[in-house]
Amino acid sequence: TVVPRYDLYTGALSPPGSYTVPLTMDTIPAFYRAGTVVPLKNRVRRSSACMTLDPHTLHIYVDPATGEATGRLYLDDYKTKAYRDGKSFLEVLFEYKGGVLRAASTKGAPPAEVSAEVERVKIFGLAKRPSKAALTQKGATTELQEPRVAELPVGLGGGAAALSAELKVMPWIDLRSPEWSLSVQ
């Protein structure tokens, strides 16, 4: 299936097609497929070993045809082969549907010295401006700060204008617990 792509650097959505894109020493074309949830660690460190306790950021690249996205996060201790026991890791399958992000499934349990939290969520390709967000976890609902909304540039080959919304999640989402949801309206 041919799907639209989001520019890695600008978030601009481009419809399916073939494009000529300039390649320079400053810009290398890179894109995310629409309908994808991409887990990232955004804090800059000297090495990946220094990032084990850093929280995650989730970028959600909404499929404009369905308004949905899915993705996967896999975590282990970064240094041993303990994951071979079938439980010393964490695998989370994310689902964004109807303005709600949740864990569709989780497996395993990572070691305590590995961060399994989400501190920020950025959603690309929204058709309308969200005005509120709420996190529900461990039976409690917390209203979050109003999302920071920005207009995305028009991508290659034209396309419809879209918005992005960035959420600072406080308290952080605990991925070790499968019972959480983030609602953006």
Side-chain angles (χ1 to χ4, degrees):
T1 306
V2 180
V3 296
R5 306 281 171 170
Y6 287 89
D7 185 283
L8 169 71
Y9 306 106
T10 67
L13 178 64
S14 298
S18 178
Y19 304 102
T20 301
V21 182
L23 175 65
T24 69
M25 293 298 283
D26 296 325
T27 60
I28 297 173
F31 301 90
Y32 286 118
R33 182 178 51 82
T36 307
V37 177
V38 180
L40 304 163
K41 287 214 177 192
N42 282 349
R43 295 183 182 175
V44 178
R45 303 285 189 192
R46 289 185 172 182
S47 73
S48 60
C50 297
M51 300 170 78
T52 58
L53 293 176
D54 289 351
H56 294 82
T57 296
L58 298 178
H59 281 192
I60 302 171
Y61 297 95
V62 176
D63 184 336
T66 63
E68 299 175 3
T70 58
R72 175 181 175 261
L73 173 66
Y74 175 87
L75 296 170
D76 60 24
D77 68 6
Y78 296 95
K79 48 191 166 187
T80 70
K81 294 185 180 172
Y83 65 88
R84 290 181 176 175
D85 68 6
K87 60 185 178 198
S88 297
F89 64 89
L90 179 66
E91 181 179 33
V92 181
L93 297 177
F94 297 106
E95 175 184 72
Y96 178 80
K97 187 177 191 177
V100 177
L101 175 67
R102 67 180 193 86
S105 72
T106 60
K107 284 194 255 181
E113 66 270 8
V114 175
S115 172
E117 291 86 28
V118 174
E119 74 168 336
R120 203 171 291 276
V121 174
K122 190 166 184 181
I123 307 169
F124 295 83
L126 295 171
K128 65 178 191 164
R129 178 182 216 85
S131 60
K132 62 182 183 174
L135 172 65
T136 302
Q137 66 181 348
K138 298 178 183 166
T141 300
T142 305
E143 295 293 324
L144 302 178
Q145 292 177 347
E146 185 174 331
R148 196 169 60 197
V149 179
E151 208 170 296
L152 294 173
V154 176
L156 303 167
L163 301 169
S164 70
E166 186 169 0
L167 301 157
K168 183 172 171 99
V169 182
M170 200 59 147
W172 292 350
I173 298 170
D174 181 6
L175 297 177
R176 295 172 197 273
S177 168
E179 301 300 318
W180 62 268
S181 66
L182 177 65
S183 173
V184 181
Q185 304 168 352

